[in-house]
Each structure stands twice: as structure tokens, then as C-alpha cells.
Amino acid sequence: MSSDSSLLIRHARILMPTGDILLGDVLTRGQEIVQIAPDISASADREIDATGLTLLPGVIDPQVHFREPGLEHKEDLFTASCACAKGGVTSFLEMPNTRPLTTTQAALDDKLKRAADKCLVNYGFFIGATPANLPDLREAQPTCGIKIFMGSMRGGLLVDSEEALDPIFAEGSRLIAVHAEDQQRIRERREKFAGINDPAIHSQIQDNQAALNATQLALKLSKKYQRRLHILHLSTGEEAELLRRDKPSWVTAEVTPQHLLLNTSAYEKIGTLAQMNPPLRSPQDNATLWQALLDGVIDFIATDHAPHTLEEKAQTYPNSPSGMPGVETSLALMLTQAIQGRCTLAQVSNWMSTAVAKAYRIPNKGAIAPGYDADLVLVDLENYHPVRREELLTKCGWSPFESWNLTGWSVMTIVGGQVAYERGKLHTEVRGQALRFDG
């Protein structure tokens, strides 16, 4: 299909911006949705019979690590975007801990060029904060925000003292997204638990208090300068309760499916495949995070897709790396929760699309409405299919959710009016576009 062609999706269960379901048709022309109605009489270059399927806004995953440049043996922008398309993810925001680090305009430009050449879906990139790159943090364009690693990081991207953090918060107005863990506490506890090779100790070394300390500091600095703050992958009940008590209007937070659906019991079942930063927590943390998400204390969902090879993951703790893939399974995981009655379809779509577009000020994304971009996913909520390693498109080739039986898998993923994935087949000639960020 050409970039200016038209699509007519017929007989879909359309999730409207109101949260209601309309049984009807959607017409797209070029990259844009032009009409939604119970029955559209117009013709189109291609018609899609969506009988029995549900049409949702494409997922915007606001935290991924796609490893290019420099770590392409784990993942690259092409393989990752293929996995996105299969998972119903039509846009992503990618993190700066590549090689070289994304800390300058030149490094950002390089990533944007690579993505334009390779990505089946839409893309945006964070610029990483260091103690020494304040001009880049103010001036680099286009970027969705500034990423600060307060912990769980070595080298140039670690910014772990209030003295170094303060000037980053003080200058500029761009959104700051923090990985909130207290590196000093982690260092001390790493020494305390040295010599233990059970990966379950990871959740004790990088404990709830380490996360809470850093979130408290980020919140303090955000309030000091009234600076837009986003707290990445919130993992503890204590952090959720802190935000419930004290969350300024300019602060947002996210949670991963892993921190909602997995807990420390996963170490016994899948070992180091359960190792991530911040770590998995207790069942009580799961429950508190869920409630905070339902109540709007937590604003949206991200995967923190951070792949490592099985060979790397097979190393003995603490030599095993932290991180797990997620873009292929996130939507189906959350839609399965909706079908089970834990939340609603409209809530899932808001958490995985609408609220993300709002927080990052991405225009014309996150809703099915005339004038919005035709980033759409048709999902099957009638049938279940297990997560199978051999079917995954991520280069790392594994999932912490392997064998989970899920519904809501993407049947068709549409990016800018072009079909990027349908019924097991990728259209690898499709290319997404660089996302815009208004303000």
C-alpha cells in the first residue's frame, strides 16, 4: 500500500474516546482517520472485515531499551519494531543507555536516522542526563524528555546525588523522567549480601526503601522548581502511597505489567529471567500498585522492554544482567486482565495509549477519532493463545510470561494508515515516523 492510500475497516467493535463501544466502520486516508460511523458507504483501496474483532488505538510504549547502537546482539531497531508491530505497539519512546550514550544532539540525530531507515512503527527518543551536559538537555531536538538514572547504572549516565540533580531540575522546562533508586543504599546492601548467588537476593539488595528514597528526592526537586516529572516503572507500594498523599499536578507515574503481574515468587520458577531493575516485589506490592493504577495515582503503563540474550541471562547472579523483553506481550497481558474483570477495556486503552500521548504531549495520538493519526490495532478478545518462545520476534527470543495463556492478541496493527502486521505476517516495508512533542 502507498502512504496516501485508504483503508476501510468494517464491522469492528470500535472503542470510542468516551469509552463506549460502537459497532461500525472506520475509514482512513493517508495517515489520518477521516470517518467513523455505524456504516460507511465510501469505497477504499482496501477493505478489512473486522467482524468479531475489537479496534483500539495503537499502544504507545513510553519506556523501551532497543539497544541500537552498540548492543545489537541483544536487539536492534528493526527487530524491536517488528516485535512492537506484532504486539499492537504503534509508537515507542526509547532510552539513552546505548553505545554511545544518547547525550548529545549528534547521538540523537544518529538514532533518528537509524529509526527512519529501520522502524516499522513510530519512534521518539529520550536524551540522557549526565552531570555535565546541561546545554544538550536544554537544546536537543526533537526529544520526548530527559532521562535521569538516579541508580542502577554505571558510568556517565549515573546522576545519584542531590548536588548533581538540582541544576538539571532547575534549568529548562522539558519533562524529566527518573529511574528512581538510591544508588548509595544499593552499594551498601550489595556489600552486605555479597557472595549470595540466588537471584532472589536482588529484590533485597535493591529493596523497597532504595526506590522510595529516590522517588522522595525526585519529588522534592520537582516541587522546588515546579518541574514536570515522570516517575518510571514505579515498583513499590510505599511509592504508590507517597504519590497518593503528595502528587502535584505536573507529576506523572507509570507501572510495568511485570510489577503488576509478577512478584518475588517468579525467581523460583524462572531464575534470572525474573531479574530486572527495579526488582520484582511482593504480592502486597502488586496489590497496592494495582489499586493505585485503578485510582489514577499511577497514570499509565510502560514495558521497560530491556532484552538480554539467554546466554547472558544464564550467568550466575550477580553477573546476570537485569532486564526483560515486553513489547510483544504487554497489550495481551493487560487485555486478559480486563476480560478477567480486573479492569475495563477503556482503562487499558487509556493506560497504554491515551494517557501516554497526553503526558508526553504527542499530538493526534491515543484515540480513535476523525483527524487523529491512523495508528490502530485490531485485537481478538474471543480466543486465547499461549506465549511461545519460538513465536517471539524480539531478537532475545524469550519472555518472562512464557506459557501464559492470553487473549487480546493483535490480529492487525496499522501504523499511519499502513498495515504493518496482520495474522502472523509482517509488512517489513512499512515505516513509522518520528513523533512530535508539543512543549
Side-chain angles (χ1 to χ4, degrees), residues 40 124 143 232 281 351:
I40 294 175
T143 182
L232 299 159
R281 308 296 186 188
W351 297 331

Side-chain angles (χ1 to χ4, degrees), residues 392-407:
L392 295 170
L393 298 183
T394 175
K395 189 182 281 190
C396 72
W398 62 273
S399 167
F401 298 103
E402 195 169 341
S403 81
W404 285 43
N405 202 31
L406 305 178
T407 191

